[in-house]
Every structure is written in structure tokens, then in C-alpha cells.
Amino acid sequence: MGYRSIKKISTSMPALEGAGVHLKRAFGNRELPLFDPFLMLDDFRSDNPEHYRKGFPWHPHRGIETITYVLKGDVEHRDSLGNKGVITSGDVQWMTAGSGIIHQEMTRGDQAGHMEGFQLWLNLPASRKMMDPRYRDVKAAGIPTVTLPEGTEIKVISGRVGEVQGPVQDVVSEPEYLDVSLPAAAIFEHPTKPGHTVFAYVIEGSGYFDAAKQKPAANEDLVLFEDGDKIVVTAGDEPVRFLLLSGRPIGEPVAWRGPVVMNTQEELREAFRDYDQGTFIRHEAA
Ligand code: FE
């Protein structure tokens, strides 16, 4: 099949979420179903504590997984079952809401006031939407880094690079989540499963994401690829760092309201009725 060409490059857009967090949305419900099995990617990097200090107080989730990757500062997490913890620099929290979790996520910058993080939403198929909730908390030290001869560094959160397997496994859509840093002028080739959705979100510098080097993308740009069995990225005169995601599309109807994503409107009504009646939590999270 060869190299994937680029279907679309876009730039993340300002959005207001939680209790008043100013963030950038790379994609969301307006792009459905383009990124299937992924639903949304939010970029909450900011040097202004006023932009993030209100955080994301108590809210429910059902039918999805939320994946939080923090580069600077802390996200203090707690849920209605008493689980709590801090997601700090380099850590990933891979949370499967399944049948339901009610939680809060409070963004706390570092001592210099910097907050950097990303939240990705991954859909669950109908057969798994009501699965028992689970957390996979991966500390920075548990994420392997592959270093290539040119100096390229790849953090493997999920999926595989060469012989190195990421810590998050057994996810139904076989997602791959890599954090890739290329020095200036370096070239990165990576195999991708045909038929899977593949996109890159640039978080530093700029580079080319197509084999012909016709289409540069820079910080805050989102690159969605066409089908193919590999990608090639070339850094320009400066280094480039990007998140690389792939996953098998689910191909089911999506009924989405706020933090709940189901297949039908009736399932949405049921979710919000459960929430209003205090019966949202079906299973105690581990
Ligand atoms: Fe949440």
C-alpha cells in the first residue's frame, strides 16, 4: 500500500471546558466520524494559571475511555468511590469509564505556573460500553523510550516500536499512542496497520508528514492520514515533537452528549436519568 498521504491538516481551536478552562481542541464532535475510534483531543498547555486553575470538577463519564498525558504540572484526580491520585509530569492515566465513573480532574501548574497536558477520548464499541470501569495509571518511569541512531526518541505508551511494547495493552481498538521527538532534519518511518485511523498532533517545532515533503505542520497542528501501511515524518530546520495515534475504527452509530458517549439517544437518556437519580454508578471501580 505504501506511505500514507495526508487527508487533512487543521489547527486546534480555542474551547472553554470544565469550570472555565481555556484549552485548545484539536478535534471533537464536529469532526465525527473522521477520527473513529477516537472522539476528541484537547490540548491544555498554558503558561497562565488563570486559564486552567478552575479545573474539571465533578462530572460523570460513560461509554468511553479518557487518556490523560501530563508533561508539566499536575492533574489531581479523585472519583466518587474514593480513588485519588496525582498525574504528574510524564505520567499517563488511561481511564476506562465503561458503565460509569464520576470524577474530578483538577489542573495544577508547576511552580513556574506552567501546565502542559493532553486529554484524548477513545470510544468503546457497544459490546464494551457498559464494561466495568478500570484505571491504568502509568508513571513516567513505566513508559519505555526507544532511541534511534539519528537521535530520535519515541516514548511508547501503547503499541509497539520494534521490540518495545508500551505498558497499556488489551484495549479493544488496538490503539497505538507514541510521543515522538525528532532532531532537526531527522526522518522517522513507522509501520501502521492498514484500515486503522492514524493521526499526529504536533506539540513542538515543525516538520513534514508526507513522503513528498509538501505539507509542513507545526505546533498545535493536527495531521490526519489517509490509509496506508506506513508513515514518514521529516523534521525541518528545527526539531519536531508530536503525539502519534492510531486505532481500529469501531464503525458504530455515535450518540454523544457532554461526557457520555453511547450508541443511541435512548442510552443517553438512560445515562442522564441514572445520573439525576443517583444510580449512575453500576460497578465499584477497582
Ligand atoms: Fe473527565
Side-chain angles (χ1 to χ4, degrees):
M1 293 186 77
Y3 292 113
R4 287 175 182 252
S5 56
I6 294 175
K7 181 179 281 188
K8 165 176 135 144
I9 298 180
S10 55
T11 301
S12 59
M13 298 287 287
L16 200 57
E17 276 299 331
V21 176
H22 296 259
L23 50 75
K24 300 277 182 68
R25 179 154 294 156
F27 66 93
N29 56 6
R30 294 197 309 186
E31 283 74 27
L32 277 177
L34 213 46
F35 290 84
D36 184 16
F38 303 99
L39 295 163
M40 193 183 83
L41 177 62
D42 280 349
D43 174 349
F44 53 94
R45 292 178 290 170
S46 176
D47 292 337
N48 181 354
E50 285 307 306
H51 284 172
Y52 57 78
R53 65 174 182 79
K54 291 175 181 166
F56 304 86
W58 296 105
H59 59 278
H61 288 290
R62 176 180 285 178
I64 61 172
E65 299 186 277
T66 69
I67 301 144
T68 306
Y69 182 28
V70 174
L71 297 182
K72 281 185 184 169
D74 293 336
V75 175
E76 294 173 7
H77 175 266
R78 59 201 301 185
D79 71 22
S80 51
L81 295 163
N83 295 306
K84 60 179 181 180
V86 177
I87 314 164
T88 193
S89 182
D91 297 349
V92 172
Q93 182 195 61
W94 195 296
M95 185 188 88
T96 306
S99 61
I101 278 175
I102 299 172
H103 73 166
Q104 65 172 357
E105 303 157 282
M106 302 310 285
T107 31
R108 308 281 181 235
D110 64 15
Q111 290 192 337
H114 302 309
M115 181 76 236
E116 290 192 6
F118 307 92
Q119 189 169 80
L120 177 71
W121 288 13
L122 175 57
N123 205 2
L124 290 167
S127 61
R128 304 290 181 93
K129 281 196 178 293
M130 296 301 281
M131 69 184 280
D132 293 341
R134 68 178 170 184
Y135 289 98
R136 282 174 284 194
D137 289 309
V138 184
K139 293 290 173 193
I143 300 173
T145 301
V146 176
T147 304
L148 302 179
E150 276 181 315
T152 294
E153 288 194 354
I154 308 153
K155 292 183 187 179
V156 188
I157 296 164
S158 181
R160 173 182 286 278
V161 174
E163 294 304 305
V164 177
Q165 178 83 49
V168 179
Q169 300 175 33
D170 303 318
V171 180
V172 62
S173 52
E174 299 171 50
E176 180 173 64
Y177 193 157
L178 309 178
D179 173 354
V180 184
S181 298
L182 302 191
I187 298 172
F188 172 69
E189 266 200 33
H190 184 67
T192 59
K193 290 180 184 161
H196 283 211
T197 299
V198 180
F199 69 87
Y201 183 63
V202 183
I203 62 172
E204 278 176 37
S206 66
Y208 296 94
F209 288 75
D210 58 329
K213 293 177 46 173
Q214 296 295 308
K215 299 192 173 168
N219 187 28
E220 299 187 356
D221 284 345
L222 174 71
V223 180
L224 177 64
F225 292 94
E226 297 279 9
D227 205 1
D229 57 16
K230 55 187 169 179
I231 62 159
V232 60
V233 180
T234 311
D237 297 337
E238 55 178 341
V240 63
R241 182 177 181 184
F242 55 95
L243 308 178
L244 181 65
L245 277 300
S246 73
R248 189 178 62 239
I250 293 171
E252 294 177 356
V254 172
W256 182 345
R257 197 202 307 175
V260 177
V261 184
M262 305 301 289
N263 295 107
T264 68
Q265 292 298 318
E266 176 49 35
E267 289 166 341
L268 278 188
R269 281 192 290 275
E270 179 186 17
F272 284 89
R273 195 165 58 229
D274 285 350
Y275 189 58
D276 289 342
Q277 293 176 353
T279 56
F280 188 80
I281 300 299
R282 305 290 184 90
H283 184 273
E284 296 196 356

